[in-house]
Amino acid sequence: MIDFRRSVAALAVAVSVGGMLGAAAVPARAQTLRAVMNSDVKILDPIWTTAYVQRAFGYMVWDTLFAVDEKFEVKPQMVDKYDVSADQLTWTFTLRDGLVWSDGKPVTSEDCIASIKRWGARDSMGQKMMVSVAGFEAVDARTFKMKMKEPYGLVLQSLGKPSANVPFMMPKKTADTDPMQQIKVEDVIGSGPFIFVAKEWKPGETVVFVKNTTYKPRAEPPSGLAGAKLAKVDRVEWVWIPDAQTQVAALQNGEIDMIESPGMDLLPLMAKDKNIKLFDYNPLGNQYALRFNTLFKPFDNPKIRYAASVALGQEEFLKATIGDAKYYKVCKPMFVCGTPLETDAGMQDVLNQNAAKAREILKEAGYDGTPVVLLQSTDLGVLTNLSPVAKQQLEAAGFKVDVQSMDWQTVVSRRTKKDPPDKGGWNAFFTSWAAADILNPVMAGFFNTACDKAMFGWPCDETIEKMRDQFAKETDPAKQKQIVVDLQKYWVEHPTHINVGQWYQPFALSTKIDGVMVAPVTVFWNMTKK
């Protein structure tokens, strides 16, 4: 672990940032906000991965064509105006005037077209939209058209989706990177409110951003992820401190200003500190998920995946990770309790921790004792205890489980590998989705069952894909709800993942920090420091 105090002291005297073009020297009395995020940053590409620290990195550096406000309504962001033809086959977008990249070059239609294509190759919702796209046309430097093969009901919702993968706009050179490869450090050139300082990036220690003085905000007030993105501090430093208690001590001592994911067991302590405030930035919360790798035994067999869902029960997971019932909810529905698509349809026989029933199903399915290689993240407190609980519940039902421990960024890299589990691959891992990522079956990445085009785990299921297509093209909310009911009933016996509970995570902030946005993701614009 780094010597945090010495590191902060060294950073505090730094007055020149250099790095990317457009990053001006920091004034001698620059206002710096220091935060501990949910994970260290070893990857810079928010299109290549859905990990939330990379998503937060993306919102610092890049901007989006559309964004959702605090009511989850889609609003123009980089777009000045847009139009759809009467037959709904041609969408025309015109960018706002004056948008430039941090290297001084103007943002163009060609940049946006390339960015949509790269995002659409990786993102679940983007893939579904791109199936209906016939092609693009750059009308001029600021205007482009997206031509459809057929009307598609989720265009704006797709281009304005708030969370991973976010359709961030990047320069064409960057966006031309193979979607299956990470972008290069030197290609992190954005048009967002902050600029990444590449020369000060130290994986395992710090990530540094400075205010983008060339950024042109919208005129509307900030709301959710929409409106004006005003950088009100000169510099933001993400300082990595893996130990939760050390994080709190640093916050109490004024060495940092914010903890994105404070240890849940430490919340009562922080609530008593008059210099710390807890801020619930995401009222819809999050959902834990156990993801299956369907390429290899035993989870290539849907009946064995079903047996796992019968073996597991949510409350032990939530008690082991969150503890305080004020911050969690036992919630079986796949599309988030408290939202329009919540339904219990088909869920009555799963997530009841029924080991005896699961054993019967495993026997019927022909389970041969193949070990389940379960990846465990050790440096994210809200994930660490999930794997031991799963091991206990699955082994009670007759599974053999091999828990392999590593830091979260290693999990993020390893989960992309299609190697056999005994050759460095995997069978399952735990993650968590913000509610904003899983509000419907097209948006929710783990419902993508398009084989090699699906997210890591790579499930293939034509029935689920047909239902997702139906949902995407349906405009009647009542009919959409019925599609979800039918999908969930089918999905229960053909699961791609398992929902192990809903939970809520407040920020821990110094009382010197104001202006934090209520939004489904972590953003740093509008923040001020006294």
Side-chain angles (χ1 to χ4, degrees):
M1 185 172 71
I2 63 171
D3 183 335
F4 177 67
R5 286 182 171 81
R6 184 172 62 188
S7 176
V8 167
L11 289 170
V13 301
V15 296
S16 177
V17 299
M20 305 300 295
L21 291 173
V26 177
R29 295 187 179 182
Q31 195 173 55
T32 299
L33 189 154
R34 296 187 179 92
V36 176
M37 303 300 284
N38 72 78
S39 172
D40 182 25
V41 176
K42 297 178 181 177
I43 298 166
L44 303 180
D45 190 345
I47 304 301
W48 185 82
T49 179
T50 57
Y52 283 166
V53 75
Q54 276 74 42
R55 176 196 66 186
F57 181 93
Y59 274 111
M60 296 291 283
V61 175
W62 291 288
D63 210 345
T64 57
L65 295 174
F66 294 87
V68 294
D69 65 12
E70 60 187 14
K71 297 179 180 179
F72 280 83
E73 295 177 356
V74 180
K75 304 292 184 181
Q77 190 61 31
M78 295 175 75
V79 166
D80 178 37
K81 58 184 179 180
Y82 67 95
D83 178 69
V84 59
S85 61
D87 60 6
Q88 299 186 32
L89 295 180
T90 302
W91 289 78
T92 303
F93 306 99
T94 300
L95 299 173
R96 291 191 286 126
D97 188 27
L99 299 180
V100 297
W101 301 112
S102 54
D103 64 359
K105 296 178 181 178
V107 177
T108 69
S109 298
E110 294 286 0
D111 296 323
C112 296
I113 291 171
S115 295
I116 294 172
K117 288 180 177 179
R118 184 169 190 262
W119 161 78
R122 291 299 301 245
D123 179 70
S124 172
M125 201 168 186
Q127 288 175 1
K128 191 61 67 178
M129 183 186 79
M130 292 300 288
V131 169
S132 296
V133 173
F136 294 88
E137 175 191 349
V139 178
D140 56 39
R142 289 176 49 215
T143 303
F144 66 97
K145 295 180 182 292
M146 184 169 73
K147 300 179 179 181
M148 314 300 291
K149 302 172 186 174
E150 57 188 350
Y152 186 74
L154 299 176
V155 169
L156 296 183
Q157 292 89 335
S158 299
L159 295 178
K161 75 187 298 269
S163 193
N165 298 97
V166 180
F168 292 116
M169 296 299 104
M170 301 179 178
K172 187 176 185 299
K173 178 186 175 184
T174 306
D176 281 343
T177 303
D178 184 336
M180 301 301 139
Q181 303 295 322
Q182 297 181 44
I183 64 174
K184 298 177 181 178
V185 176
E186 58 266 29
D187 288 336
V188 180
I189 299 170
S191 67
F194 293 93
I195 294 173
F196 168 58
V197 186
K199 66 181 293 185
E200 294 194 50
W201 177 36
K202 297 178 181 178
E205 293 189 24
T206 54
V207 187
V208 177
F209 308 89
V210 295
K211 180 189 297 187
N212 183 359
T213 57
T214 66
Y215 178 70
K216 182 178 180 180
R218 293 192 67 87
E220 301 92 338
S223 174
L225 300 173
K229 298 180 178 180
L230 299 172
K232 295 183 178 180
V233 294
D234 300 295
R235 179 178 171 101
V236 176
E237 296 171 0
W238 292 355
V239 184
W240 180 231
I241 309 173
D243 180 71
Q245 291 185 332
T246 307
Q247 293 176 8
V248 174
L251 183 61
Q252 291 175 323
N253 294 334
E255 296 169 328
I256 61 172
D257 304 296
M258 169 183 163
I259 305 173
E260 183 188 29
S261 300
M264 302 302 292
D265 58 331
L266 298 173
L267 292 180
L269 171 68
M270 289 182 282
K272 295 178 182 178
D273 192 320
K274 65 180 181 180
N275 296 313
I276 295 176
K277 57 185 176 182
L278 301 177
F279 182 82
D280 188 3
Y281 70 101
N282 181 13
L284 283 178
N286 313 274
Q287 185 189 88
Y288 281 129
L290 175 66
R291 177 62 161 178
F292 299 117
N293 186 343
T294 65
L295 297 183
F296 301 102
K297 294 172 60 176
F299 293 137
D300 59 339
N301 184 337
K303 196 163 188 176
I304 292 178
R305 301 199 299 271
Y306 174 60
S309 69
V310 171
L312 300 182
Q314 292 184 344
E315 191 148 14
E316 286 191 14
F317 286 99
L318 295 167
K319 287 180 177 179
T321 53
I322 308 303
D324 189 341
K326 179 171 63 176
Y327 293 110
Y328 73 73
K329 179 185 293 183
V330 173
C331 170
K332 288 186 179 183
M334 296 309 303
F335 297 110
V336 187
C337 290
T339 65
L341 295 182
E342 172 191 350
T343 175
D344 287 316
M347 303 295 289
Q348 61 271 15
D349 293 328
V350 298
L351 293 172
N352 297 322
Q353 199 176 340
N354 190 336
K357 180 65 174 177
R359 278 184 177 274
E360 293 177 8
I361 298 170
L362 278 183
K363 185 176 181 180
E364 293 170 3
Y367 176 61
D368 61 2
T370 299
V372 173
V373 174
L374 176 60
L375 306 186
Q376 178 193 25
S377 168
T378 56
D379 60 338
L380 270 66
V382 294
L383 296 181
T384 300
N385 292 339
L386 295 172
S387 293
V389 173
K391 178 179 174 68
Q392 181 183 49
Q393 293 187 2
L394 291 173
E395 288 184 341
F399 285 92
K400 291 183 179 179
V401 181
D402 175 15
V403 175
Q404 298 187 11
S405 303
M406 61 205 70
D407 64 52
W408 174 243
Q409 291 291 284
T410 302
V411 173
V412 167
S413 295
R414 186 165 166 181
R415 68 187 182 180
T416 66
K417 296 181 178 179
K418 293 184 177 180
D419 301 320
D422 61 351
K423 298 289 193 301
W426 58 280
N427 290 116
F429 72 92
F430 280 99
T431 189
S432 179
W433 290 97
D437 277 317
I438 53 175
L439 297 177
N440 66 57
V442 178
M443 176 184 289
F446 281 174
F447 278 89
N448 183 341
T449 56
C451 306
D452 286 344
K453 292 183 178 180
M455 296 180 69
F456 26 79
W458 307 282
C460 291
D461 194 308
E462 291 184 3
T463 300
I464 292 178
E465 282 304 292
K466 287 178 181 178
M467 292 184 183
R468 293 178 70 233
D469 285 337
Q470 290 170 3
F471 184 93
K473 295 170 185 178
E474 182 56 67
T475 58
D476 184 335
K479 292 180 179 179
Q480 285 184 330
K481 181 66 176 279
Q482 186 58 51
I483 292 170
V484 166
V485 167
D486 294 340
L487 168 60
Q488 187 165 285
K489 288 179 178 179
Y490 174 85
W491 172 89
V492 164
E493 295 188 354
H494 304 80
T496 56
H497 61 296
I498 301 176
N499 159 27
V500 294
Q502 201 162 314
W503 62 285
Y504 307 88
Q505 172 77 73
F507 290 153
L509 297 161
S510 164
T511 52
K512 295 181 180 180
I513 302 300
D514 285 318
V516 184
M517 298 302 301
V518 175
V521 305
T522 304
V523 294
F524 285 82
W525 58 78
N526 203 52
M527 282 192 188
T528 60
K529 182 177 178 180
K530 298 177 185 176

